[in-house]
Amino acid sequence: VQSKINPILTEQGQSRGAVIVFHDVTDLRRLEKMRTDFVANVSHELRTPLTSIKGFVETLLDGAADDPSLRDRFLKIIQAETLRLQRLIEDLLTLAHIEGQGNRSEVRLSNVSYVQQAYNKIKPVIQSVAQAKGIQVEVDLPDNLPPLFISEDLLSQLLLNLLENAVKYTASGRVWLHVQTAPNHLCLEFGDTGCGIPEDILPRIFERFYRVDRARSREQGGTGLGLSIVKHIVEGIGGTISVNSELGVGTVFTCHLPRAI
Ligand code: ADP
């Protein structure tokens, strides 16, 4: 609480009392803290791959480049860290774009399943990870889906982030996307038979940079921003997202996206 005191004085300048105004600044402080935490997190996330790239380049220049096997190993690490930086910057730009301009744009594509089109864009990425792990991907997209207040690009991003997570955090079994039309919204269910998420941390997974297992996410190429981007996309068009998960059994994310008509 922040307070401000204004004395009440008589015409002769004698004190008659005071007006004390109390301001509840809890939300303001929380926002300030979120902003400084975010900047600290971004700096840390950018610095880690940069430090690694710098170290390996210096080692190569110091003579490691003369050994072909060492040189190739170090160059592969530099390449992986560069890709990581690129993904991070792309995710940060997507977040900034969604937050800055809003994302409500109506799409009316008659006789064309735009959900199918959005899925086609990302299908090769999902299929290649799934095939490498022997995971079965079931995507069931009805043809005549109602229009939504979302651009095809953002819809692709939403499908990509949730399906990529599903295949990333699943060792074997199935990953699915089921779509159903309800009177006021479209219901998208993303499920997997993966590792699951501990119940006590479920509410935190939509926070920026929050990961259940940092090392594992990093190893899988995650930035820790995927779900916060999804939440922004969904809530930006007035939708909702919820998650159910059981450790060792699997996870289901359910998105309700409001229909344009
Ligand atoms: P990341 O880039 O680490 O995947 P996300 O924001 O997409 O970041 O997800 C945050 C965290 O939530 C992940 O690090 C992971 O621990 C957990 N998570 C997300 N989706 C799943 C899933 N389908 N199954 C299990 N854990 C998941």
Side-chain angles (χ1 to χ4, degrees), residues 84 91 161-170 190-198 201-202 204-214 216-218 220-230 243 245 250-253:
R84 185 174 157 67
D91 277 359
N161 290 9
L162 288 169
L163 287 173
E164 212 178 21
N165 276 352
V167 289
K168 232 165 42 176
Y169 299 107
T170 297
F190 301 82
D192 65 61
T193 55
C195 60
I197 304 167
I201 50 173
L202 267 184
R204 297 205 59 190
I205 56 166
F206 293 100
E207 288 174 20
R208 294 155 174 175
F209 295 118
Y210 189 85
R211 288 101 147 189
V212 178
D213 179 342
R214 184 169 284 266
R216 180 165 182 198
S217 156
R218 192 176 147 76
Q220 307 258 6
T223 62
L225 292 173
L227 286 181
S228 62
I229 290 175
V230 165
V243 55
S245 190
T251 304
V252 175
F253 286 91

